[in-house]
Amino acid sequence: MEHPWQELGEGIFRRRYEFLDQNIGLVLGGEAVLVIDTRANPSQAREIKDDIARLTSLPVGWVFNTHYHWDHTFGNQAFPEAEIWGHEMCAREMEARGGEMLEEMLTDWIPAQQHGPYREIVPTPPSKLFTGTAAIDLGNRTVSLEYLGKGHTNSDAVLHLDDVTFAGDLVEEGGPPSVGDSFPLGWVNTLRALIPRCRSRIVPGHGDVVDTEYVVAASGDMAWVADLARRGWEDGAIPDDLDLSGAPYPAEVTREALRRAYLELA
């Protein structure tokens, strides 16, 4: 039977969904599967389940949220049968800001005529939490979860298995990174810590599969922002006055990243 999953390793898959060009991961366990991120609403999550059923008859036993953002977690409620894993800050942010994120999403991202599937969302934080590292026994294999520090958010964690790393939005492909909740100074260090630890095939939160060289380049781009922010801070300049010549991102993204870096410096 045809299926939309790309196999990256033995029993390791990713599905690239058109909405937000998002990657969803899948790992086949002994008697159940693990899903990596759940998309933006229960309807989209049920689409994941339908796509899984085209590949395997195994049920979903585990879910891993790479971070707390709505496009990665607001499908969680569609997996009541599964253990939902995430970093402790993922759960904390969802508990504190779930309703706020929902309203921001409906206001800023989703046209009013498309609100229907989003009105059934009940923010559902992960309940299986970790701080530094964790392992999930899938019966026939064990996946490793790892938190390396702040970056795209304060809760980004990665999953390693064999030659594949699911990096969430710590790594983006096909467009500039989303920096609205980011920690650019920390992001540089987190990417540098990831480089020697990531596997040969890296699945970003959005876009195509990349390699280690791509992550090295991404860390260099974010370092450009961090270095300019430090110089501007030391000179007493405000972010909007800094010279963006040679910036790795569009001006609007770079300015926002600089403002976030200034918050870290403060």
Side-chain angles (χ1 to χ4, degrees):
M1 179 182 296
E2 292 185 359
H3 62 78
W5 298 95
Q6 176 190 4
E7 189 164 14
L8 303 174
E10 184 177 355
I12 308 170
F13 301 84
R14 69 113 185 199
R15 169 74 162 90
R16 189 173 178 177
Y17 287 90
E18 184 177 355
F19 180 75
L20 299 181
D21 195 17
Q22 185 176 28
N23 289 309
I24 298 298
L26 180 69
V27 179
L28 304 186
E31 297 182 355
V33 302
L34 179 148
V35 175
I36 301 160
D37 288 334
T38 61
R39 306 186 68 199
N41 64 47
S43 177
Q44 291 184 357
R46 290 189 288 269
E47 184 181 358
I48 296 173
K49 284 188 165 183
D50 290 343
D51 287 335
I52 292 172
R54 297 172 64 188
L55 174 65
T56 177
S57 61
L58 293 175
V60 177
W62 307 269
V63 165
F64 170 57
N65 291 148
T66 57
H67 61 291
Y68 68 82
H69 279 164
W70 55 268
D71 54 319
H72 297 258
T73 62
F74 275 7
N76 282 1
Q77 73 192 78
F79 297 92
E81 73 280 16
E83 292 182 356
I84 302 181
W85 286 74
H87 187 264
E88 62 177 4
M89 288 303 300
C90 176
R92 189 177 304 176
E93 293 286 354
M94 288 189 70
E95 290 164 358
R97 299 180 53 200
E100 175 187 343
M101 281 197 295
L102 176 56
E103 292 307 314
E104 288 179 354
M105 175 185 66
L106 294 176
T107 301
D108 299 336
W109 286 87
I110 310 300
Q113 64 270 26
Q114 299 177 17
H115 281 188
Y118 297 87
R119 287 301 184 188
E120 65 174 306
I121 292 170
V122 177
T124 304
S127 59
K128 301 289 287 185
L129 308 180
F130 68 99
T131 55
T133 61
I136 307 176
D137 182 358
L138 305 188
N140 61 343
R141 53 181 34 178
T142 299
V143 301
S144 300
L145 311 180
E146 188 170 31
Y147 176 77
L148 296 170
K150 295 178 180 179
H152 171 68
T153 69
N154 58 2
S155 65
D156 303 283
V158 302
L159 182 150
H160 305 291
L161 177 62
D162 297 344
D163 290 329
V164 181
T165 292
F166 289 89
D169 287 1
L170 280 173
V171 179
E172 297 279 16
E173 191 279 333
S178 175
V179 297
D181 294 335
S182 70
F183 300 83
L185 306 184
W187 204 337
V188 175
N189 295 329
T190 299
L191 287 174
R192 287 172 175 168
L194 177 62
I195 289 166
R197 306 179 69 83
C198 63
R199 310 302 165 83
S200 61
R201 308 190 81 177
I202 301 146
V203 182
H206 306 265
D208 207 357
V209 176
V210 300
D211 57 17
T212 305
E213 286 73 21
Y214 186 93
V215 181
V216 171
S219 70
D221 289 345
M222 194 60 66
W224 188 97
V225 173
D227 291 344
L228 180 59
R230 289 192 180 95
R231 293 197 303 271
W233 178 267
E234 292 171 359
D235 292 342
I238 63 173
D240 288 351
D241 289 343
L242 297 177
D243 181 5
L244 301 188
S245 300
Y249 314 126
E252 182 179 354
V253 174
T254 306
R255 295 284 185 208
E256 188 173 16
L258 288 167
R259 287 190 285 269
R260 292 293 303 180
Y262 267 49
L263 291 175
E264 290 178 90
L265 290 164

